[in-house]
Amino acid sequence: MGLLSTRMVIAATASVLLAAGTAQAAPAKYARHADAAAQLKKAGITWTSSGNCSDWNKKSCTSFTQINKATIAGTIAFKKVSGCKVIVTGGTEKGHSPGTYSHRNGYKTDISTKVACVNNYITSKFAKAGKRSDGAALYKSPAGNVYAREGSHWDITHYNSKA
């Protein structure tokens, strides 16, 4: 195959892939922890860490460095629709399970189960969605986000910016 033919095949393949919707832009992110934390604070959401820190390379910290903007917006949306006090206990810091829709890749937050309103809202307003392989009970919001009960916190996978 000649160079021109190869370029035509590549261009045609790219065109088909784009038409099929398989090419997706990377999600918009907060590059700095402080910027995402400011958005949460503005919405009345607090955050805590066992290490009292925000270094994304330390397991004992809670960091929002490189978190998706849709993840922060989804956390804020949950607070608004639930009317509950929300305490974030996990973000993009090191130490979570890997994967495409992981904490480290900016798709997840953990929120405390110490707030009864949060637990009641999730279990009464969201659809039961079975159990995760580790036994965590799953609930799916109308927006498609998944809430997994992990003892001291809800592990939330934010697929979009709604609750």
Side-chain angles (χ1 to χ4, degrees):
M1 193 182 309
L3 182 59
L4 185 56
S5 297
T6 302
R7 284 186 180 161
M8 289 172 55
V9 168
I10 291 170
T13 302
S15 181
V16 169
L17 289 174
L18 287 172
T22 56
Q24 295 181 0
K29 296 193 178 278
Y30 287 102
R32 297 177 341 115
H33 168 86
D35 296 333
Q39 293 302 310
L40 293 173
K41 183 177 181 179
K42 190 164 110 178
I45 296 172
T46 59
W47 64 274
T48 187
S49 75
S50 59
N52 293 316
C53 51
S54 61
D55 184 336
W56 91 315
N57 286 310
K58 292 185 180 175
K59 289 182 190 182
S60 62
C61 296
T62 296
S63 179
F64 307 125
T65 301
Q66 292 299 314
I67 199 164
N68 296 342
K69 289 187 175 185
T71 299
I72 294 297
T75 304
I76 293 168
F78 175 79
K79 182 189 186 320
K80 285 180 182 175
V81 300
S82 69
C84 300
K85 176 181 179 179
V86 173
I87 304 166
V88 178
T89 62
T92 58
E93 65 280 350
K94 190 176 187 174
H96 297 281
S97 298
T100 301
Y101 297 102
S102 66
H103 279 275
R104 196 65 168 181
N105 285 338
Y107 287 91
K108 290 188 173 211
T109 52
D110 292 339
I111 62 172
S112 177
T113 57
K114 291 181 180 178
V115 180
C117 176
V118 167
N119 304 327
N120 294 336
Y121 189 87
I122 293 168
T123 59
S124 68
K125 302 291 185 186
F126 297 164
K128 286 185 181 181
K131 291 191 181 230
R132 207 166 52 187
S133 61
D134 64 358
L138 299 173
Y139 293 83
K140 192 170 191 177
S141 75
N145 297 323
V146 177
Y147 294 65
R149 178 73 186 256
E150 291 186 350
S152 67
H153 64 271
W154 288 95
D155 176 79
I156 307 165
T157 307
H158 299 269
Y159 294 105
N160 62 59
S161 60
K162 296 180 174 75

